[in-house]
Amino acid sequence: SVLAPANVATHKLENPEKYISPIGELLRRMSLDELPQLFNVLKGDMSFVGPRPERVEHVEKYTKKQMNMNTKKLRTNRNFWKYFFLQFLTLDIYEAVMMSNISKEVNLVAKDGKRTMDYMKIFLTSIIALLMLAVGMFLGKDFHTQLQADVYDPDFKAKIAMFLILASLIILFVVGIVVLVWTHRISDRIGNEIKRRNLGYEFGSKTFWMWLLVALTPALLMWLLCLVLKIGEPLQDILTGVPALIFYVYYYRLIKAMNLLNADYNSKGE
């Protein structure tokens, strides 16, 4: 047999038979001619399942519309009220899933060369910290029982204190700082991409901070008023919680911004 030219299909050869070895001819007759590709699978060049990659010269002939036919269509029908109620019903799990999907969509749509961390990582970290806090409180209760029985380890109290402090610091850092920075950055990226695409919708990091301050200011004032007037729970929770609901205006604008952004991406394919 003769060594065949590289990167040339069999049907394009003038005399393909002369390039077939006796073993290759036997494999073809037994319909096992694709078996040598198992070596490529083991090397990592290809996989058992999946489409065969198209040749470069063929891809170059595709039109832009043909290239975008199989582009993943992003969600454009998110509803604020569905988010609002499911967030409470699922104890913030629905919000975590939605924000996680939004972070992935922004990474796909935005052309700024940046990457936003998956929100689910932040959510799971906060869950772990809350579990640590719960374990610390349980151990503290157990310590109190030992203290009453006068059979406790003197170092046990210090260990529990350190455990609770660590869990509290993680919650403070993740929930109080990381979430603020994450939301600021992703809001900024969404706003910049909306401007780049000329979608005519005002959104950005300023939107986030504006509605956060608008919501926190009256909530803080009501909390101080409750302290002065010595208003206890649950009335205090109601008076401070109602003004905080103003912040949901930000989520309303976020959902609308992502619907617009995703619709533009779906129509253009980029």
Side-chain angles (χ1 to χ4, degrees):
S1 62
V2 182
L3 186 64
N7 299 322
V8 179
T10 305
H11 68 277
K12 291 186 178 181
L13 297 172
E14 292 183 2
N15 187 14
E17 287 76 15
K18 70 177 182 179
Y19 300 108
I20 302 176
S21 66
I23 296 178
E25 184 178 0
L26 178 63
L27 290 174
R28 284 198 170 190
R29 288 181 180 179
M30 298 178 65
S31 298
L32 298 174
D33 50 307
E34 301 289 346
L35 187 62
Q37 291 185 6
L38 180 61
F39 178 70
N40 297 92
V41 174
L42 297 176
K43 283 178 59 180
D45 298 333
M46 58 190 299
S47 61
F48 280 111
V49 181
R52 178 180 295 180
E54 187 58 275
R55 299 179 66 84
V56 177
E57 58 268 26
H58 294 167
V59 175
E60 292 175 346
K61 296 179 181 180
Y62 288 169
T63 64
K64 187 175 181 180
K65 183 177 181 180
Q66 289 173 327
M67 290 287 289
N68 295 329
M69 284 180 64
N70 294 324
T71 301
K72 179 182 177 181
K73 298 298 181 183
L74 301 181
R75 187 171 179 180
T76 60
N77 62 344
R78 285 194 177 93
N79 183 275
F80 168 75
W81 292 110
K82 179 180 178 180
Y83 153 76
F84 181 81
F85 289 111
L86 288 181
Q87 180 221 355
F88 290 106
L89 292 175
T90 61
L91 302 177
D92 291 337
I93 295 177
Y94 183 83
E95 178 183 3
V97 173
M98 185 187 77
M99 298 302 282
S100 174
N101 291 333
I102 286 177
S103 62
K104 295 174 184 177
E105 291 166 2
V106 172
N107 287 335
L108 177 64
V109 174
K111 307 301 179 183
D112 53 8
K114 300 178 182 178
R115 298 289 298 177
T116 296
M117 180 174 60
D118 190 338
Y119 186 84
M120 189 58 67
K121 294 180 180 179
I122 300 175
F123 180 75
L124 293 177
T125 303
S126 63
I127 293 297
I128 293 173
L130 288 172
L131 290 175
M132 289 175 61
L133 192 62
V135 170
M137 295 175 67
F138 175 79
L139 293 175
K141 184 178 180 180
D142 185 54
F143 171 77
H144 182 70
T145 303
Q146 294 180 22
L147 187 63
Q148 289 180 330
D150 199 23
V151 289
Y152 68 94
D153 182 0
D155 296 329
F156 193 52
K157 182 178 181 180
K159 293 177 181 178
I160 294 174
M162 290 299 297
F163 195 83
L164 290 173
I165 291 173
L166 179 61
S168 301
L169 287 176
I170 294 175
I171 294 173
L172 177 64
F173 178 74
V174 173
V175 179
I177 299 176
V178 175
V179 171
L180 290 177
V181 174
W182 185 92
T183 310
H184 168 86
R185 289 181 175 177
I186 198 169
S187 299
D188 198 47
R189 291 188 69 196
I190 294 171
N192 291 336
E193 188 64 20
I194 286 176
K195 291 178 182 177
R196 189 184 74 83
R197 293 172 179 265
N198 296 318
L199 298 182
Y201 185 72
E202 287 295 328
F203 187 83
S205 56
K206 292 181 179 179
T207 309
F208 164 64
W209 290 109
M210 181 187 73
W211 287 108
L212 182 63
L213 291 175
V214 169
L216 288 181
T217 301
L220 181 60
L221 291 175
M222 292 302 299
W223 178 74
L224 292 174
L225 181 63
C226 290
L227 288 181
V228 173
L229 299 179
K230 298 181 179 180
I231 299 176
E233 298 178 352
L235 183 58
Q236 179 180 342
D237 295 334
I238 297 174
L239 294 176
T240 56
V242 171
L245 293 175
I246 300 174
F247 183 64
Y248 281 97
V249 176
Y250 163 77
Y251 285 100
Y252 171 82
R253 295 183 61 82
L254 170 67
I255 290 172
K256 185 175 181 180
M258 286 306 302
N259 284 342
L260 290 172
L261 204 57
N262 289 348
D264 189 72
Y265 174 85
N266 291 343
S267 63
K268 296 179 180 177
E270 60 178 4

